[in-house]
């Protein structure tokens, strides 16, 4: 039980670090691809049809993901920040689980997540 508590606390600390590092870049200019996906998702939510009224060569999953983030956090930087932090958290947990499953237990998971 103690090792599980250490793992939870360590993962929480790593997530807090990721959050703070992402927060530091909140006001930086957004890249062209990110803004394109955000605008297309926003227009999809306003009823426009993908690939006929708005054109992009990407599969619809990326636009649906951006639309979901907009529904949760609103249109603009908050939705981009939400997706950024959520993806980082999912990656952190996935790497921890992969490291743990490799036979090294929680220590291996924490080592993988930290590196």
């Amino acid at each position: 039980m103690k090792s599980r508590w250490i793992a939870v606390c360590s993962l929480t600390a790593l997530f807090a670090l990721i959050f703070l590092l992402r927060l530091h870049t909140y006001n930086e200019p957004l890249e062209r691809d990110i803004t394109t996906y955000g605008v297309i998702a926003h227009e999809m939510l306003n009823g426009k049809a993908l690939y006929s009224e708005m054109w992009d060569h990407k599969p619809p999953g990326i636009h649906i993901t951006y639309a979901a983030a907009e529904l949760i956090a609103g249109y603009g930087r908050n939705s981009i920040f939400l997706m950024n932090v959520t993806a980082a958290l999912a990656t952190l947990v996935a790497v921890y689980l992969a490291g743990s499953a490799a036979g090294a237990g929680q220590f291996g998971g924490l080592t993988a997540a930290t590196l």
Side-chain angles (χ1 to χ4, degrees):
M1 185 67 167
K2 183 178 179 182
S3 64
R4 182 163 294 218
W5 178 249
I6 291 171
V8 168
C9 288
S10 298
L11 289 173
T12 302
L14 288 171
F15 177 67
L17 179 63
I18 289 171
F19 180 85
L20 291 173
L21 291 172
R22 298 293 195 267
L23 188 61
H24 174 70
T25 62
Y26 183 84
N27 288 317
E28 287 185 356
L30 298 174
E31 296 174 356
R32 181 177 54 213
D33 288 344
I34 290 172
T35 55
T36 300
Y37 303 147
V39 168
I40 290 174
H42 182 72
E43 294 301 321
M44 285 173 50
L45 291 174
N46 288 325
K48 290 194 177 177
L50 184 60
Y51 306 122
S52 61
E53 294 180 282
M54 300 168 301
W55 187 85
D56 194 15
H57 62 284
K58 302 280 192 292
I62 187 73
H63 306 299
I64 292 168
T65 303
Y66 274 71
E70 182 179 334
L71 288 173
I72 294 169
Y75 183 58
R77 290 191 181 274
N78 288 340
S79 63
I80 304 300
F81 183 73
L82 172 68
M83 286 189 303
N84 192 338
V85 170
T86 302
L89 175 61
T91 303
L92 178 70
V93 171
V95 170
Y96 168 77
L97 292 174
S100 296
Q106 290 178 347
F107 179 74
L110 288 175
T111 302
T114 302
L115 298 175

